Amino acid sequence: MPKSKRNVKVSLTKTKKRPREKKDALIEEIRTCCEKYPRLYLLSLQNERNVFLQAVRQHFRPGRLICAKNKVMQLALGTSPESECQDGVHQVAEMITGPRALLFTDRAPAEVHSYFADYRPIDFARAGAQATETVVLPRGKDALANLPHSIEAHLRQLGMPTQLLEGKIHLLGDFTVCTQGKELTSDAAQILKLLDLKQAQFTMNVECHWHKGGEFKDCNELED
């Protein structure tokens, strides 16, 4: 007689949280932060990188930086005066579009704006990003002098007209890696990384600010 599946024991220590449980826990965490911290900043992100986000988290501790799906953040905050978790915070939820993050802290607006104006590290651009400058490599061996000869075959696979001569990689003609304003291909992104050329600037800008008690400021209106 086949063994009944109902009799199989499952160790609860090995079960993973279901997506709905994770979502509910995140919503609860956001609402708790709204209660705990006096200020909430809505941040826009560009060229997001985990290592840079970790640096931001470290700087604003014991505050909380939360990156989640927009709909989850909106649901947690509330999108109307009737559903908002704190007075006036629904105005923040209304501005959550595109890549966004929530920063809960007690830091004053001037300090937060100053930090993000200064913290703009550079990283390697990924495929699909727009090139910030045109990169053209001249014919000869100088442009690729810092690369090991063993990588020459890989450079040809990336579309570069190269040849190995006397242990040196030679570029057989001028080669345009990328053009400013145009989308980077996967090959172009790899070549830029091999050449140690970084074109992706990580930025976080304050879109709006909420203070407990209902005070709300749209930072885009302040700029205008």
Side-chain angles (χ1 to χ4, degrees):
M1 184 174 178
K3 187 177 181 181
S4 173
K5 292 184 179 180
R6 292 186 179 183
N7 294 329
V8 177
K9 293 183 178 180
V10 178
S11 174
L12 295 178
T13 59
K14 295 183 179 180
T15 59
K16 295 182 179 180
K17 282 188 176 181
R18 296 177 181 177
R20 180 56 187 268
E21 292 175 346
K22 289 183 178 180
K23 176 182 174 182
D24 291 344
L26 184 55
I27 289 174
E28 184 61 31
E29 180 183 5
I30 292 173
R31 290 175 177 172
T32 300
C33 287
C34 276
E35 177 67 29
K36 179 179 179 180
Y37 296 97
R39 300 182 187 275
L40 165 61
Y41 298 89
L42 178 65
L43 308 172
S44 59
L45 294 87
Q46 187 173 4
N47 294 314
E48 179 181 342
R49 301 291 190 272
N50 286 333
V51 63
F52 299 148
L53 289 175
Q54 285 299 100
V56 174
R57 287 190 172 97
Q58 182 68 31
H59 178 82
F60 284 101
R61 286 180 179 174
R64 290 282 289 116
L65 177 69
I66 296 178
C67 301
K69 291 183 178 179
N70 287 354
K71 288 185 178 180
V72 173
M73 294 190 291
Q74 289 173 327
L75 181 61
L77 297 175
T79 55
S80 68
E82 294 75 26
S83 63
E84 63 185 8
C85 63
Q86 292 286 324
D87 290 343
V89 81
H90 78 276
Q91 297 173 89
V92 176
E94 291 176 350
M95 294 186 65
I96 298 179
T97 58
R100 295 290 185 266
L102 302 175
L103 174 62
F104 295 93
T105 181
D106 59 359
R107 310 282 183 93
E111 181 181 351
V112 174
H113 280 278
S114 176
Y115 173 79
F116 287 117
D118 293 337
Y119 185 66
R120 294 173 179 256
I122 303 291
D123 194 17
F124 296 109
R126 295 171 178 171
Q130 280 194 347
T132 58
E133 61 179 303
T134 298
V135 176
V136 179
L137 303 180
R139 177 181 177 179
K141 62 181 180 179
D142 292 342
L144 306 176
N146 294 327
L147 298 181
H149 65 84
S150 58
I151 205 171
E152 190 272 331
H154 181 56
L155 295 178
R156 280 188 276 113
Q157 291 177 347
L158 295 176
M160 299 183 69
T162 60
Q163 186 177 4
L164 196 60
L165 297 173
E166 299 178 350
K168 301 289 184 180
I169 302 176
H170 288 250
L171 200 56
L172 302 181
D174 293 350
F175 181 77
T176 301
V177 180
C178 60
T179 303
Q180 183 178 1
K182 291 189 176 181
E183 188 175 294
L184 288 176
T185 64
S186 176
D187 289 348
Q190 289 186 58
I191 293 172
L192 289 174
K193 189 170 184 178
L194 289 171
L195 297 174
D196 198 31
L197 297 177
K198 299 179 179 181
Q199 291 196 5
Q201 186 172 54
F202 170 85
T203 62
M204 297 185 81
N205 295 310
V206 180
E207 298 297 321
C208 66
H209 164 232
W210 170 85
H211 187 264
K212 186 175 288 186
E215 180 185 349
F216 173 82
K217 289 185 179 180
D218 184 337
C219 297
N220 296 310
E221 291 181 355
L222 293 177
E223 292 177 359
D224 295 338

